[in-house]
Amino acid sequence: MSDVMNEQSGAKSPRYKQLANKFVADIHAGRLKPGTRMPSLRQFARQQQVSISTAVSCYEELKSLGWISARPQSGFYISSAELPQDSSHPYPQWSQFVSQVSTPKPAQTVFEHGPLGVSFSPLDEQAVREMETSFRRAIRRIGDRLSRYPDYQGEISLRQALANHFTQQGFPFQAGELVISHGCLSAIKAALETCTRPGDAVAINSPCFNGLLELLAQMSLNIVEIPSLDEGIDLAQLEFHLKAGNVQAGLFSTTFMNPQGITMSVEQKKHLAKLANHYQTPIIEDDVYLELSHMGEFVLPAKYYDDEGYILWCGSVSKTLSPSYRLGWCLPGRYLEIYLAKFSAGSFGVATQIQLAIADAIETGAYTRLLRKKQIQLLGQKQRYSDFLRQHLPKNSRISQPQGGIVLWLQIPGLDVKAMEQDLQKHKVDIRLGPLFTSLSLYQDCLRINIGYPLNEAVKEELQTLIAIIRRHITSDD
């Protein structure tokens, strides 16, 4: 009875979701194996001391996310767990090269914006309803602010909500240290304007999100690509360029990188912060995927280890909620005053209503609930996409297995992605090919796939078309 009352009271974390999350964690950790039979609903209810309705809700949640399946007249079974690495589908290999200054070039391709191309995960109906509620409350609370320009630094209620949110995750900062921006890319652009001048060189991840390469090209900045490693990036090469004065700033994704999916180890993040402070060189940290851990565990950013304020930490709700809100932020550290001046010079602030709505979602706990649900959904979708790709791609294909984010990085030996372009356009398949993520002659056998959409029949059909195109453009069996 107490369990039912708890659910009816509108508790922030319903018991059935807590139980479902525990099952997902056990599956991911290997404590529950594929094919394992689940307890009957009555047995489960007795074991967990919950009502039958809670047990049913828990199983329905797991079923909807693809973690269990029902067998007629037999019961429920674990349907999937993350497969161990095997020799037929190893992880991608990271290109190793000597870093040097190069010039980024804007991409010429016009994209279709299909489900496999854009790095995006749509809101479900429940999330849409919750956000609509937050927007209605924001309209009622806007008051006389409707007649004023927004605060250039951002609404204090949002900055305080974000400060409280991240402080609860173990990453503390003050509301006065934060600047609200028009999405993460806007935050990064203002950071680059703060730290660089046209003609300067910026150290970046390689491969690097194509949107950042476009931005750097438009700002007339040169780049130094730093090779990826399993544990992050080649920090020895980065230090060489910092010491030689070859780069005036750094711009790195550090957690669930786009496109390669790597997360810097704690040691790497500490070392990156140490390098920024030692060489007194600004490092911009693009952390737009930070909160999309597939296991719901918060990963501390490199900014956490920054003692002297040389890291400018940027994030947004574009991946966790919706890119249409165009809301992000920057923690500029020692550069706060000049950053705010650069940002406000090209903007009269961010729309007040959007800020108040996001603040409401965070303050009421809606954001945390939606975030946790999305994390579990992405874990399941990663598995389903990986399984599908393993079944249909050539056996020597290499598939990343990131612990968070929305994309998979594929490497298919012998693939000629350049030759694929016209074929992809002919069949209207939107995909991001490896060369898009570099200014060098690299990643010619690689591509990136978005896993943010549920793997429904329409997405499977597009994947089948993509795989057929891939098979037509493999030039060797190496």
Side-chain angles (χ1 to χ4, degrees):
M1 179 64 71
S2 62
D3 182 70
V4 175
M5 290 177 64
N6 182 55
E7 290 180 34
Q8 292 175 342
S9 68
K12 288 186 177 181
S13 182
R15 179 62 173 153
Y16 79 89
K17 286 186 177 289
Q18 295 175 6
L19 294 169
N21 292 346
K22 177 63 167 61
F23 268 107
V24 172
D26 286 342
I27 293 168
H28 193 75
R31 292 185 286 270
L32 289 173
K33 303 295 184 182
T36 301
R37 184 177 181 177
M38 298 281 285
S40 69
L41 288 169
R42 291 189 181 279
Q43 183 183 5
F44 177 79
R46 286 196 300 270
Q47 288 174 345
Q48 302 295 333
Q49 296 185 328
V50 296
S51 65
I52 288 292
S53 65
T54 297
V56 170
S57 296
C58 175
Y59 277 35
E60 286 298 319
E61 177 85 354
L62 290 167
K63 186 178 177 182
S64 70
L65 296 173
W67 290 108
I68 65 174
S69 58
R71 298 182 187 176
Q73 300 178 337
S74 181
F76 291 92
Y77 290 79
I78 304 295
S79 58
S80 184
E82 186 170 346
L83 298 178
Q85 184 64 26
D86 60 71
S87 58
S88 63
H89 289 93
Y91 295 157
Q93 295 177 324
W94 309 116
S95 299
Q96 298 306 303
F97 54 90
V98 177
S99 299
Q100 57 187 1
V101 177
S102 60
T103 302
K105 297 179 181 179
Q108 302 300 316
T109 306
V110 177
F111 297 113
E112 295 288 337
H113 295 291
L116 301 179
V118 180
S119 174
F120 172 60
S121 176
L123 294 174
D124 61 23
E125 291 183 6
Q126 178 190 348
V128 170
R129 287 195 299 271
E130 294 225 36
M131 291 309 302
E132 286 174 347
T133 300
S134 288
F135 271 92
R136 284 195 294 270
R137 283 196 289 256
I139 291 172
R140 291 196 296 268
R141 294 172 181 173
I142 197 168
D144 64 354
R145 282 173 290 195
L146 190 61
S147 303
R148 303 197 307 262
Y149 282 103
D151 184 323
Y152 290 174
Q153 189 169 350
E155 289 294 322
I156 184 60
S157 61
L158 176 58
R159 288 187 281 124
Q160 190 61 62
L162 287 165
N164 292 341
H165 172 73
F166 285 108
T167 296
Q168 290 170 8
Q169 306 298 324
F171 176 41
F173 56 82
Q174 299 295 318
E177 301 175 277
L178 198 66
V179 179
I180 304 301
S181 65
H182 299 280
C184 192
L185 207 58
S186 168
I188 292 170
K189 183 175 186 292
L192 287 168
E193 290 172 339
T194 298
C195 303
T196 66
R197 295 177 296 178
D200 283 351
V202 179
I204 62 171
N205 307 81
S206 184
C208 176
F209 168 49
N210 59 291
L212 294 179
L213 291 176
E214 292 268 358
L215 176 62
L216 291 160
Q218 290 170 6
M219 296 181 69
S220 300
L221 292 166
N222 295 316
I223 58 174
V224 175
E225 296 191 33
I226 306 296
S228 291
L229 305 171
D230 288 339
E231 67 275 15
I233 61 173
D234 189 339
L235 291 177
Q237 288 209 49
L238 173 61
E239 183 168 16
F240 170 82
H241 289 289
L242 289 171
K243 188 175 183 179
N246 296 334
V247 296
Q248 286 68 53
L251 170 56
F252 298 106
S253 175
T254 60
T255 304
F256 315 133
M257 300 176 189
N258 175 13
Q260 60 272 56
I262 298 169
T263 294
M264 278 187 172
S265 65
V266 172
E267 292 73 19
Q268 277 240 328
K269 289 182 178 180
K270 288 180 178 178
H271 194 184
L272 181 64
K274 183 179 179 181
L275 290 175
N277 284 274
H278 178 75
Y279 290 100
Q280 299 183 346
T281 301
I283 299 292
I284 301 163
E285 185 173 16
D286 172 11
D287 238 352
V288 71
Y289 294 96
L290 178 69
E291 296 197 89
L292 290 182
S293 165
H294 295 164
M295 287 309 297
E297 298 173 352
F298 185 80
V299 182
L300 289 169
K303 178 64 179 176
Y304 176 79
Y305 307 103
D306 175 26
D307 295 327
E308 297 181 34
Y310 282 96
I311 292 182
L312 299 87
W313 179 70
C314 302
S316 83
V317 297
S318 293
K319 307 302 180 182
T320 55
L321 287 178
S322 170
S324 69
Y325 294 150
R326 304 316 307 139
L327 187 136
W329 54 79
C330 182
L331 203 61
R334 67 192 300 117
Y335 304 98
L336 175 59
E337 289 188 14
I338 186 171
Y339 181 94
L340 188 55
K342 292 289 184 180
F343 175 72
S344 61
S347 167
F348 287 105
V350 176
T352 302
Q353 182 182 332
I354 297 288
Q355 294 192 63
L356 295 180
I358 301 303
D360 180 88
I362 296 172
E363 291 165 352
T364 60
Y367 179 70
T368 299
R369 291 194 298 273
L370 298 176
L371 184 60
R372 180 56 182 150
K373 184 175 182 180
K374 178 163 286 193
Q375 290 167 340
I376 296 173
Q377 287 174 337
L378 288 174
L379 174 60
Q381 286 167 206
K382 177 184 71 175
Q383 180 53 42
R384 288 187 281 279
Y385 274 82
S386 297
D387 288 346
F388 188 92
L389 292 168
R390 286 189 179 99
Q391 292 169 15
H392 296 91
L393 283 172
K395 292 299 182 183
N396 62 346
S397 302
R398 297 174 175 268
I399 306 170
S400 67
Q401 281 297 301
Q403 297 304 302
I406 315 179
V407 296
L408 294 180
W409 181 249
L410 276 56
Q411 183 181 31
I412 303 167
L415 179 65
D416 183 356
V417 294
K418 187 67 176 176
M420 286 176 58
E421 289 186 11
Q422 287 189 343
D423 215 348
L424 290 168
Q425 293 174 8
K426 176 183 176 182
H427 291 87
K428 299 186 183 301
V429 176
D430 178 28
I431 205 72
R432 301 296 184 266
L433 302 177
L436 186 68
F437 302 100
T438 180
S439 64
L440 309 174
S441 298
L442 299 171
Y443 318 120
Q444 302 294 321
D445 57 357
C446 297
L447 54 101
R448 189 199 75 182
I449 287 181
N450 175 51
I451 60 169
Y453 283 83
L455 189 58
N456 55 32
E457 291 306 312
V459 175
K460 285 182 180 179
E461 184 177 343
E462 185 150 345
L463 274 174
Q464 291 280 27
T465 303
L466 170 65
I467 290 165
I469 293 172
I470 286 172
R471 289 186 176 276
R472 285 199 292 271
H473 294 281
I474 293 177
T475 59
S476 72
D477 297 325
D478 294 338

